[in-house]
Amino acid sequence: MRIGILGAGAMAEALGAGWAKAGHDIVVAARDADRATELAARLGARAGTFAEAAAHGDAVLAALPHAATPDVVSPLADALAGRALIDCSNPIVPGPGGPMLTTDGGSSAARRIADAVPGAHVVKAFNLCAAEVWARYPDGLAVPLCGDDAGALDLARALVTDLGGLPLDAGGLDRAGYVEATAAFVIGVWFAGGDPRTVLPLDEHARG
Ligand SMILES: NC(=O)c1ccc[n+]([C@@H]2O[C@H](COP(=O)([O-])OP(=O)(O)OC[C@H]3O[C@@H](n4cnc5c(N)ncnc54)[C@H](OP(=O)(O)O)[C@@H]3O)[C@@H](O)[C@H]2O)c1
């Protein structure tokens, strides 16, 4: 698969390394061209501009801060039209009792990105776990996917599988806000020293 990566930080490297290992053809872009070039060299990929990465990818990963992503992708609307745009962002800020959603009461981060590039097929994915987890322990991790386009979801499932994870269909893009809220919840529990997995029953008991 051809993959464009927007951003050259922790998530770009963690996910990009797994996809490069799986043999995908990757173009990395960042606002700092040197950082893109350095990451591309580590991945065995190529560096380019945001427009080149967007035009390259069958799937394009936005690995940028949630607040910056709509402004970065909006000028790329033509290049991104018809492509799968993977949004891994967490619209959270530190709060007194743990991470707080910046989107509370409004559109999800994924929806804001979709509104900025109406022709792209946005899929929410990979936001629940830390970059170090995707880099070191992706095997067997279920990855909730929210999106509205069947083809884009197929690509997202393949990207999950290629990391060693398990795709978990989690509904349309209108469900993305719930996955973003789940990230705020689980990160809060982890940082408080708890184990959020313990709130869930065994599957055979879950339906009562
Ligand atoms: N890190 C995690 O464990 C984790 C886990 C799940 C989800 N996420 C989400 O993944 C996304 C990326 O996180 P990250 O940890 O990879 O961040 P990061 O390491 O800070 O990298 C962010 C990238 O975005 C670029 N960037 C920042 N502001 C920008 C702007 N205004 N315009 C264009 N580019 C900009 C940075 O460029 P510079 O280097 O020039 O600043 C860098 O290339 C975030 O939305 C985060 O919520 C992160």
Side-chain angles (χ1 to χ4, degrees), residues 6-13 29-32 35 50 62-69 72 87-92 126-132 134 187:
L6 311 179
M11 286 295 279
E13 179 147 14
R31 62 181 175 179
D32 179 338
R35 284 203 71 187
F50 282 135
L64 302 162
H66 67 91
T69 306
V72 173
D87 164 36
C88 67
S89 71
N90 276 320
I92 57 176
F126 302 113
N127 66 310
L128 283 186
C129 296
E132 294 79 2
W134 300 119
I187 292 167

Side-chain angles (χ1 to χ4, degrees), residues 17-117:
W19 295 330
K21 196 172 160 194
H24 295 299
D25 173 9
I26 300 175
V27 172
V28 180
R31 62 181 175 179
D32 179 338
D34 288 343
R35 284 203 71 187
T37 301
E38 288 160 15
L39 176 56
R42 290 197 293 278
L43 298 181
R46 282 174 289 138
T49 62
F50 282 135
E52 287 166 345
H56 173 76
D58 303 310
V60 177
L61 171 72
L64 302 162
H66 67 91
T69 306
D71 288 342
V72 173
V73 297
S74 179
L76 309 175
D78 287 347
L80 289 170
R83 297 179 196 273
L85 179 57
I86 311 296
D87 164 36
C88 67
S89 71
N90 276 320
I92 57 176
V93 292
M100 291 171 51
L101 284 176
T102 61
T103 51
D104 237 359
S107 298
S108 67
R111 176 63 64 194
R112 290 173 194 196
I113 294 168
D115 288 346
V117 278

Side-chain angles (χ1 to χ4, degrees), residues 78-190:
D78 287 347
L80 289 170
R83 297 179 196 273
L85 179 57
I86 311 296
D87 164 36
C88 67
S89 71
N90 276 320
I92 57 176
V93 292
M100 291 171 51
L101 284 176
T102 61
T103 51
D104 237 359
S107 298
S108 67
R111 176 63 64 194
R112 290 173 194 196
I113 294 168
D115 288 346
V117 278
H121 303 307
V122 176
V123 177
K124 188 88 205 180
F126 302 113
N127 66 310
L128 283 186
C129 296
E132 294 79 2
V133 173
W134 300 119
R136 298 177 63 189
Y137 313 111
D139 287 343
L141 262 187
V143 180
L145 302 173
C146 298
D148 295 330
D149 182 81
L153 285 165
D154 279 345
L155 292 176
R157 287 187 200 101
L159 291 173
V160 170
T161 304
D162 287 344
L163 289 181
L166 304 170
L168 178 65
D169 291 344
L173 201 65
D174 59 342
R175 305 291 295 176
Y178 298 111
V179 185
E180 292 170 4
T182 301
F185 168 70
V186 297
I187 292 167
V189 173
W190 278 322

